[in-house]
Amino acid sequence: MSAARAPVNVVGGGLAGALLAIVLARRGFRVEVFERRADPRLRAGERGRSINLALAARGLRGLAVAGVAARIAPLLVPMRGRHVHEHDGSGALLAYGQDDSEVIYSVSREALGRTLIEAAAAEPAVTLHFGADCVGVDLARDALLFGEGGKVRRRVPLAPTIATDGAGSAVRAALAAAGALTVREEVLAHDYLELTIPRDRAAGLDPHALHIWPRGGFMLIALPNTDGSFTATLFLAREGSPSFAELVDAPAIVAFFRREFPAAVSRLPQLVAEFAEHPRGRIGTVYCDPWTLDGKVLLLGDAAHAIVPFHGQGMNCAFEDVAVLDSLLATHGDTAALFAEFARVRRPDTDAIAQMAIENYLEMRDTVRDPVFQRRKALGAALERAFPDRFIPRYSMVMFHPEISYAEALRRGAVQQEILAALDAADPGQQPRGGGTDTIPPGARALIEARLAPIGVRA
Ligand SMILES: Cc1cc2nc3c(=O)[nH]c(=O)nc-3n(C[C@H](O)[C@H](O)[C@H](O)COP(=O)(O)OP(=O)(O)OC[C@H]3O[C@@H](n4cnc5c(N)ncnc54)[C@H](O)[C@@H]3O)c2cc1C
């Protein structure tokens, strides 16, 4: 992609689009960002749509590549682990990592998006167009179409365009309709709805944890906000029992929460009103192939590979996309080669995180309460302390080790599961103690050295 040529169009000025615009500008490109919504610097935040997000190492690396990590730092609330709340009110914190350096961060989507737009606006080479709704692509005339109510009001030369217009991408839909790519969307049978735990009802909730009320088949989670409140999200089936279809009126909603989340219900004073007011979101995985149209269009972020939110990685993955594209820009002058290389190197990783995100859904909903899961989790953490260059739990590889690709985390994670199962089967009573006094099961060293090459060394 040559900096001297036409400006790069970025369709969608959300999380990935704003970060991408900054990176492109710093590489010497002129950038035109087209965002459907109003300027976030002028409007109030949108309610009821994933109000806060978990940001981890891959996302932080993308922010650092764009030089905006310091701007984002004041927005972050560290979370050390998952606090699991049982039905009887008991609970425990399961640490995410080995120590307080291995934490993830809760961040407001709205504040993050606004801050990234502010940073993009500060780049002289970036022009931001708000209220610019992309309604299609005219492939015959190589044009991006913008308009409203189905009417085209503006045409913009297509090449080169990077589409970051999210899971419901209009650019992707237009290319699919023209037969330029194929799309498969696997929608989960569960929807989500967001609820508020105000600060004055948050007493006793650890402000540095992600809270989960897993109930087998459905769950409530809550992430902390900088003002001491929490945003809770209910994930529940659309149909069947229990399901959103049953929660049709105030008595049904209150009875369901009293029955399933008795300790949480008093923390949700606006429960019934928010049920009525907040939109219910669909979640799913988008599989799309190819992501590119010659050197003209590239899909990136959720537009290319939206995933279910249960690993807290969609935004992190989108920011990693931006970092990968940035590194390829250093060596690829030709747009067609750049876009093709991005798709080639990135697809194995986005396929891997799509799979791990679905697996994490089952873990958060069900397995996290299973004693075998908890025992193996503790054993995995002990093995990491003993063999840190070879054995890192999969969750940690994904969340804290951006130097290990998603595809490699999936591959090593499968081998590690087999090792844990073998060690656990040999001695199910084994309980690592931690604190430098771990007892490592006999045979662990031999198994690990035989099956896991040191990190960074090809097996
Ligand atoms: C409930 C839920 C919880 C989540 N939690 C996490 C989490 O904890 N951690 C994490 O990493 N990820 C999480 N995600 C995923 C994360 O939200 C997405 O992966 C991330 O927002 C992707 O960024 P994006 O820029 O590709 O898309 P988006 O953030 O969706 O941005 C797309 C932008 O394009 C604009 N746009 C759309 N259509 C058009 C059009 N036709 N013309 C012009 N502009 C358009 C939109 O207005 C928007 O600004 C969660 C998702 C959900 C649904």
Side-chain angles (χ1 to χ4, degrees), residues 204-332:
L205 277 187
D206 181 350
H208 295 298
L210 186 155
H211 295 264
I212 313 184
W213 292 261
R215 294 296 179 259
F218 60 99
M219 66 178 172
L220 184 72
I221 69 167
L223 273 73
N225 297 313
T226 44
D227 65 359
S229 67
F230 284 74
T231 303
T233 309
L234 173 67
F235 293 95
L236 179 67
R238 270 190 297 286
E239 306 288 338
S241 190
S243 73
F244 277 108
E246 290 181 335
L247 306 184
V248 287
D249 54 21
I253 294 164
V254 172
F256 170 74
F257 271 79
R258 287 211 174 117
R259 187 175 73 238
E260 302 296 347
F261 309 111
V265 71
S266 63
R267 298 185 182 279
L268 300 163
Q270 302 148 48
L271 174 63
V272 172
E274 290 185 332
F275 242 82
E277 286 162 17
H278 287 181
R280 239 169 68 189
R282 292 258 155 123
I283 37 188
T285 309
V286 169
Y287 301 93
C288 164
D289 189 41
W291 293 341
T292 62
L293 178 70
D294 311 323
K296 295 176 187 168
V297 182
L298 172 69
L299 305 176
L300 184 142
D302 272 16
H305 48 67
I307 59 177
V308 297
F310 304 106
H311 216 307
Q313 279 292 310
M315 164 189 62
N316 285 284
C317 179
F319 286 177
E320 190 170 71
D321 279 359
V322 173
V324 169
L325 192 77
D326 179 68
S327 69
L328 294 176
L329 276 167
T331 48
H332 290 72

